[in-house]
Every structure is written in C-alpha cells, then in structure tokens.
Amino acid sequence: MLYRIFSGLFSLLSRGDRKRSMLVAAIMDVVTSHCESADKVSFKPTLPKDAEMRDIAAAIEVIEEGGMHWDEPHGEDDDDGEGMKGIGMKILEGTAAVGLSRTNELVEMGPPNTSQTVKYMPSNLLFNKINDSSSARSNLSSAVVPGLWDDLHSEQVAVPFAAWALANWAMASEVNRCHIQELDQEGHVVMAALVAPERSVKWHGSLMVKLLLEDQNLPLTTSVSDWTASLLSTVSHASKTQDIPLAQIALSAFLVSLERSSSAQDVAVEKGLHLMREAAKQTTKHSSVQEALAKALELLCAREWHMSLEESQHWSGVLLPWVFGPLSSDAIRSSAIRILTRIFEDYGPSSIPISQGWLTIMLADVLESKKTSLSKGNNEPKSDKVKTQVDQANVVLATQIANQLAGAVVNLVGMQLGRVANADDTHPLADLLSLEPFAGPLKNLKKDKMPKINAADSAVATLKGIKALTEICAEDALYQNKIANFGGLCLLRRLLLDDDYEQLAAIEAYDASRASEGQDRVPTVPDEASTTANPHDASSLRVPPTGHIRKHAARLLNVLSVLPKVKKGLVGDKEWCEWLEECANGRIPGCNDPKIRSYARATLLNIFCNDEAGEDYVNGDHGIFSDKTHNCPCYADMIFLINPELSHWKCMENLMPKSLDGSSPGASDSDGRECTTNEDINSGISSTSASESENISQSEVPLVDVVFIHGLRGGPFKTWRLSDNKSSTKSGLVEKIDEEAGREGTFWPGEWLPSDFAQARLFSVKYKSNLTQWSGASLPLQEVSAMLLEKLVAAGIGSRPVVFISHSMGGLVVKQMLYQAKAEKKDDFVKNTIGVVFYSCPHFGSKLADMPWKMGLVFRPAPTIGELRSGSPRLVELNDFMGQLHKKGKLEVLSFCETKVTPIVEGYGGWAFRMEIVPLESAYPGYGELVVLESTDHINSCKPLSRSDPSYKETLEFLHKLKALSK
C-alpha cells in the first residue's frame, strides 16, 4: 500500500507543478521521519535491492557536485517532465523526480565553529520565480514536516534526496553497498555527505557509514579516519543543539568505526575525547546517547592506550553520574565501572579522590533510600520500634560520616594539586567537585588557606565510610543490591588487593623529606619559623589504617557474597579468589586479624556454593534468607569461622557427617541439586589443590560444631582472649573492661581447642549489645536471638551436633534461640543442640540491672538491660524451658559462677563502686553441673589463664563427654 502511495505521489511530479519540490521533500520526510536511531530503523528499504549502477552513480554525482545538472536548458514553462533527467529516474516505476541544486555561494561544511567551507559549482536552478518570491519560499518551508527534512528549502532538494537514496540502497542489499564503495573508493562522496550543511544529508551520510563499515565483506577505505573525525564533530554539534536523532545516528556510526579501525581509534583519542565528554554533559537526559558514548569510551580504554591522569580526572565528573544516574541503563553503568577500574589500575594513589568520591556518592545514595524507607515506615504501626530506632541511629551516624567523607575528598584534591580546589572549568576535577555531595564542602573551603589533610586522614574517612555503608546494608538485601549495582565490588577489590593509601603515604613522606632538605639549605627568619607550621614536617605524618580498611572491606564483601550477581563476579576473578584463599590462610601481610581471615573464608564458601537457588537467600524478613531449606551453608554477617585455615573448612560439604538421626542433611536438596564439592571449590583457587583435601584423614572430619556467644559489650574474639590476671582493675567503667582485657592475649578457642578438641568446627558470633544507649542503640533479647537463629540455621549450624559456649547475656541469647526454634518447628536445631556452657549467665537476672541507674539517674540503660532484672518472668520462662530439655536427657548443661566483685565506676583516688554482677543464686540455673571459679570476676570468668585453669579444663572435659555421647 505504501509503495502505491509513493508511486502516486511521484507521478504527480511529471505535471511540472511548482509545488512538486514540496512533494519530494514531503515524500522523503514521510519515509524517514521516524528514523531517529540507526539501531531502530523503522522503515524498510523502498528502493530496489538490485539498483542500476547508473542510478547509484547519478546519486553520487549529485552529492559530489552539490546539485543536479540538466542535459539541456529549460524555461519556466512546464514541460510535463519530458526531457528532464534526475536522480528520481527509475527509482519508483520509472517516474522522474525534480531535483534542485544548492546556490553557488560558499556553504559551511560542518558545525559553525569549523572553518571548512566548500564552493559549489554553479548549476542551473529550477523555479527561479519561487526563489525570488519570499512568500513562496515561506510557504515551501512551512509545508515541510519537522523532522529529518526540516532544513530543506526549494533550492536544496537534490542533495538530500540523493543522500536518502544512497542510504536506502545501502540498506537494501550487499550488492548495492559494493557498488557504492566501488564508485566511491576513496570515500570522498560519503565524506561530502557527512560535512554537508543540510541536517538530512548528515543523517543519511552517517547511516551510510554505519552500513558500509558493518559489512565485513567490504574492505576498509582510507577515509575511515576522516569519517570518524567528522562523525565526532557532528555528535558534538548535535548535542549542543539537542538534536538527539542526529547525535544517535552519528554515534552509532562512530562506534562501528572504532570497532573496525585502529586509525579511527587514534583519531578519537587525539581529537575526540573532549568532544565526547562535552556531548555526555549536554545529553544527560538521553540514555541512548549516554550509552553509546559510554560504550565508545570503553572501547578506547580496552586497547593498549592509557587515558592521561588529567583526562581521567576530567572524565570522573561524567563517569560517576553514569554509575549513579537514575536514567543510566545497566550497559551505561557497566561501561562506566570498567573504565573507572582501568583508571584506578593506571594511577593508583593519584586516583584516590575519584575512588573516595565514588564511595561518598554511593553512601549518600544508599542513605537517601534508607531515609525514604524510614519516613514511609513512620506512617505504619510500630511492630519493631527498637529496630527502627537502631536504623535511625545508624542513619544519623552515616549522614555525619558522608559529610566528613565529602570534605575529605575536597581537601585531598586541594592538597594533591598544591592549591585550593576551585570549581572553574580549567580544574581537572571541577565536574566531580560540582556534584551534590561535594558542592557544599567546596563552598565552605577557605580559598586563602591550604587544606590540612594527609593519607592517614583520607584513609580514616574511607574507613568510616565503609563501616557506615556496611551497617546500613548488613540486614537488607535492597541496599546490598544497590551497592552491587553501583560497582561496590570494584571499590572493594581496590581496597583489598591494592595499597593506594600506603603508596600515598610513601609519596607524602618522600615529598616531606625533600622539602625538609630544601629548608635546611635555605636560611629561615627565626620569627617566621616559630610562628608558621611546616606542612611538610615528616614527623607529623601518620601511617594510614589500611589494615582496618581491609578488615571492614572484607566484611562488606562477605555481606554481599550471598547475592547471586556477586557470586558470579567473584568466581570469574581468579586473582581475587587466590587473594581470599591466601588471606584465609593467614599469608597476606597485614591481614592476620582473625576477623578478616574469617570473612575471606566465609566469602569463598559462599561464592563456590553450587546452590542455584541463591536468589532465594535474599527474600527473608531480614533481607538475607528465605524460609526455604537449602543445602549449601550461607555464612552471612556476624558469623565468624575460627581457624579458617583448617582443612575441614575447605571440604565441609564432602565430609559432612550424618546427624544424630542417621540422615545426611548436606547431601542434596528436594530438587536433587548437590552442594559444591571440594573439587568444585578448589577449581577456582589455584593455591589449593583438590587432592590436598581428598587426603584428609577421617580423624580430621568435623563431628561437632562449637559456637561461642559473647555477652554485653563483648565481641566474637575479645571476650575469649586471656587477661593478664584475674582482676580487671584497669578500666573505670564496666563497658570498657572487657574491651581492654581482651585486647591482647591468647584466644583460647582458636589456639587451644583445635588441638585439644579435634573434629570440631568452631564458630563465634557477634551481635550489638551495648550496656547503655549513650554508646549506641542495641536490640532487645528477642530480636537479637531471632536474627542469630536465622543466620546460624542458614550457615548449617544445627544440622549436626552443636554445643554453645556463652558468657553472661550470651547464655540468655542461647536459651531464647532454642525457645524460638522450638516454636518455629526448627526441630533439627533443638534436637542437635547437645550441650550449653554458661559462663556467669544471669539465669534469674543481674544486680546490675536492679540498680537505680536503670531509671536514668546516671545513664540510660539499653533495652537489653531492662530484660535482666531479677525475677523477670521472661527469664523464668526460658529457664523452665531449658530445664525440661535437660530433664528429658536431650541437653547437657555446664555452668560457671564468679566469686569476685567487678569494678563498675572509678572514683577519685580509687574505685567508687564494685559489685558482684551475677551472684551464685542467679548463675546456677537449678540443673546440670556447676563450677565455682575462685577469685574470678564477671569479666574474666570466660578467660582462663592456662589449660589447667578450671574455666578451661572443665569445659574441655564437658566437650569430650558430649562428643562421645553423640557418636
């Protein structure tokens, strides 16, 4: 039908009506008005696939000469088309089309800023009266539908029509493309179309370039580099004028030229980076243009070429919005992340402002989402008031940290450039600093004073940012996915595998030493020396806390490793997997902290799990797990693996023993999927061979799980470290005693138990347990227990015999977990819990909670403290539940009791107050064994001085007895 319409329209041209030029323009406009993107061309070629060579040649001649020549002169009278020859001949049913030429004046070829001009050869003009008539000209112009052809005038029809015809033929068939290239071997005609003044000709010229270069059977012409330069110019000009369709088609051709030609890449690198960058800044609302620019820059960065540092800094203001922009597609974001990764690899410490800026924007974005979520939650019933308060406290703290981090970025930029950062266009990081997180600190910066910041200060800001980000997302899959989508893995990889802050500190130390040498040679006025501080004083430089950064980066990685997309990314990164394996084994210098080693092993176990139902892990109440039973353990945040270098962690699933009822819970799931075997895990880690794990003796197979749970103000490792003595008299407040006592010393669960009690997997957990609200909000007993129960079950704990070793309130957490597991019909968890060790557990409450301080006279108690009051009905209920399990022979219990007072508050000239926090009547639950520890206070009841100490000896014997009973 459309073919007949066009045929009829073209037949009207033979009448010689003066409005036929308008019909030509209208026809071309109808055909191509929807062709805004070369990748989504909405029209099929209307010209024949087997075009005659003379027709192609005629179109080429028109473009090359800028107009159409007639074989013989014509007057103003109509001749019904007889004797006229034009490019419309034999296009549609042999009808003739009227073609007009350009004027013989100089016409700019390209954007207004270029000086390239061409003088077209004079040619005969048709419809001179139309040209002379301003009213007719106006009517013609207004008759053209806005679109590809809105730049046409009565004297400019032939060249646009010829360009349309060539592009249409090129789209129609490979034979036509061969003819076009054969007739235009040097590519000059295509080039003429690219630099033509008419927008329509540029558009179709760009389409021709795309079609010709996409044809792999055609040889590359020598003009490809010239085409590339012209396309870049077109993209730049079209972006400035917001001509998005023209920018899209030119970019599409530009991308193909980069893919096919190294000379085109050279042109882009030498002449086009600033044009691409400006185009990106001017088309932020157009995703298709941004995506093409991002892909083009990624293509350039994938080659041997390295972007200069200054150019990288200029691009950072574009790349980061690509990562976080609400209109950014996955393709844009992915390209930007790869480019940023390349920049970090190339410039290391010099790229810290960019990587730190990335972290700042990520934290700000996640915070904004969290605030929105909390504000919406305020309109709903408060079913979890305390947790909301904890979330709000985290948001307040994270907001302060985000502001500090933004200030650190601004100050570091000023320091590295040797001057205060100004937001002018000449500043290489001006675009980055103009973004919202940095605009405020930049305005507040004193322009006449050098910022005071060094590598250590910058590292501390990054450390706080990572910690805040982790706290926000630890229990919520929505924010975990945000971090993963925003390139969190790229940042974490950089922080873990590289030493940018150490290198920056080394550079600062070197600069400081050089500056000191220079000052030694130049005499200084005494008064000036005494009043002016030396910013290059080497003695003022500090070591960056990179070890702490790595620890918290590893924690965030562990949190994210439950996501399927993160698993996929890590498994494909051999270098990172090798680093994690070495870290877990304690072979990475500066990474011997037990937490980071645990994070590394847990991450490896998470990502090499072959459970394809990984998506189900992120839909639970806490955003981590679902209720669906899955085989592969999932080691989430707050679950620590003790001695992660031991072989049983590497072959856990292969060697998992049967549970008490004789079943093998780790064999396969309901769908028949099997967990990852030892060979599967080690196939991704070159440093660990599969045969090594296969040779593990049966005596090393773990038969029992032992889980350590700390109490108030405790920690997964510090609670169980030895104290120098049994008297904690170094600290003034009970909140600090455990921290100080456990700062150094032997970690007996990791250094004594593995050899004294083999065939056991050892775990330690962490939960927020503040003594007062001044030190941060904490969750009540039930919320803490529910969270830990969910994570322990997901980690496979409870699928085999398990013993809990607890201190203080940790014992109540264990009791609440078992109670809740029974209520939720998690029968395996209750049935396989064969024993509990209680160190100074307040089964019936604590004197600390009974003090008048809890009313706020001295401090505001955390919600958990209120639950420890003597005679609390909840505590009695939990104790009765545990007593029934013991009475039925399903649970063995060992309790320890303190006998010495514990210092609480330090007064002037001595201890103002001491107390027995958990007395004998509360430490003994009324069942099981009881061991009274002589000369031991509450804090040190779980810190044996030696293997012969009753607090260790009795526990070890208890464990051996339980293991024997479980066989």
Side-chain angles (χ1 to χ4, degrees), residues 744-779:
E744 296 179 356
T746 300
F747 176 60
W748 64 268
E751 298 183 44
W752 295 351
L753 270 189
S755 57
D756 295 345
F757 187 67
Q759 293 181 279
R761 293 189 308 169
L762 306 179
F763 296 87
S764 188
V765 304
K766 179 182 179 182
Y767 62 93
K768 201 164 186 176
S769 57
N770 301 313
L771 182 60
T772 72
Q773 291 189 42
W774 295 114
S775 54
S778 62
L779 294 174

Side-chain angles (χ1 to χ4, degrees), residues 661-721:
D661 61 0
S663 64
S664 181
S668 61
D669 61 14
S670 58
D671 295 331
R673 289 189 299 269
E674 295 185 356
C675 284
T676 305
T677 64
N678 182 58
E679 291 81 4
D680 294 330
I681 294 176
N682 291 333
S683 64
I685 309 172
S686 62
S687 60
T688 305
S689 64
S691 60
E692 175 186 346
S693 298
E694 292 174 351
N695 294 329
I696 297 173
S697 65
Q698 189 63 28
S699 62
E700 294 177 311
V701 176
L703 299 176
V704 180
D705 289 339
V706 180
V707 183
F708 291 82
I709 300 184
H710 65 81
L712 284 173
R713 292 296 296 172
F717 295 96
K718 69 180 182 181
T719 292
W720 315 101
R721 289 192 181 278

Side-chain angles (χ1 to χ4, degrees), residues 40 49 68 76:
K40 300 178 181 179
K49 293 185 177 180
M68 176 182 289
E76 296 181 10

